[in-house]
Amino acid sequence: MPSFDIVSEVDAVELRNAVDNSKRELDTRFDFRGKEFSVEYKDLVVTLASESDFQCKQMVDILRGQLSKRNVDPKAMELDDKIVHTGKTFAQKVKFKQGIETDTARKLVKMIKDSKIKVQAQIQGDSLRVIGKKRDDLQAVMALVRNADMDQAFQFNNFRD
């Protein structure tokens, strides 16, 4: 039986490269010259710090642009709701989602079942396995998930025929 897995993963190497490229771009930008700022990456969390909240928002936009250049979907970003002000710096944490949460997985299973495509979807930990008799049905499910607005990036792997 043909099957594939729906996962939500972030390539840590590409994320690190995007963070490093963001640092380089910020070093050369005119509006950041002479200002104190920092971009730190640790365990899928990027901490952006600068002298003003406006600059923090600009840093998020620069990071988002670098992520898209490195083929990391910016939907994986999860920004903190507020920018933390401590002393003379403003800081914002950007977390990256790994895995599919159970609520999102249930929504995906319900959406697949409502589409009346002849496949079976089952939740397996932080991924979703889709099994069907025809390869075309599985490709239809892939298209359905790609077009769904779920606020999360999904990848398809482990395709077996």
Side-chain angles (χ1 to χ4, degrees):
M1 297 274 288
S3 67
F4 70 92
D5 292 338
I6 301 173
V7 295
S8 180
E9 298 174 341
V10 176
D11 187 4
V13 174
E14 292 297 331
L15 180 58
R16 160 95 46 211
N17 290 338
V19 169
D20 290 341
N21 288 344
S22 298
K23 286 180 189 176
R24 279 191 216 101
E25 184 176 339
L26 288 168
D27 285 337
T28 61
R29 285 201 32 164
F30 180 77
D31 51 345
F32 281 90
R33 192 164 294 146
K35 308 281 186 190
E36 281 190 38
F37 65 89
S38 68
V39 180
E40 297 173 7
Y41 169 72
K42 185 176 181 185
D43 297 332
L44 296 174
V45 176
V46 178
T47 305
L48 306 170
S50 68
E51 293 179 0
S52 71
D53 60 341
F54 177 72
Q55 287 177 337
C56 275
K57 291 176 185 174
Q58 284 182 320
M59 291 169 76
V60 169
D61 290 338
I62 290 170
L63 179 63
R64 189 173 284 132
Q66 292 297 332
L67 287 172
S68 62
K69 286 180 185 177
R70 305 295 290 171
N71 292 327
V72 176
D73 199 340
K75 285 183 182 178
M77 290 175 61
E78 190 174 283
L79 295 170
D80 277 355
D81 291 337
K82 58 183 179 178
I83 297 173
V84 179
H85 177 62
T86 56
K88 67 174 191 172
T89 61
F90 291 83
Q92 185 167 19
K93 290 190 184 278
V94 181
K95 296 175 185 155
F96 288 87
K97 300 177 193 173
Q98 283 284 78
I100 302 173
E101 296 176 1
T102 55
D103 294 336
T104 307
R106 287 186 185 134
K107 288 178 187 177
L108 279 173
V109 170
K110 183 174 178 1
M111 181 179 65
I112 290 169
K113 285 185 179 182
D114 290 345
S115 69
K116 303 291 185 194
I117 299 173
K118 294 182 180 178
V119 295
Q120 296 173 345
Q122 38 186 252
I123 301 170
Q124 293 186 338
D126 59 351
S127 67
L128 198 73
R129 169 136 318 152
V130 180
I131 303 169
K133 290 184 180 178
K134 297 180 184 174
R135 181 187 262 185
D136 294 339
D137 292 339
L138 296 179
Q139 290 174 344
V141 170
M142 286 182 186
L144 180 72
V145 171
R146 275 190 201 109
N147 294 332
D149 187 28
M150 298 293 279
D151 293 334
Q152 192 168 358
F154 297 112
Q155 294 85 30
F156 309 104
N157 64 11
N158 206 12
F159 192 92
R160 297 196 175 144
D161 203 11

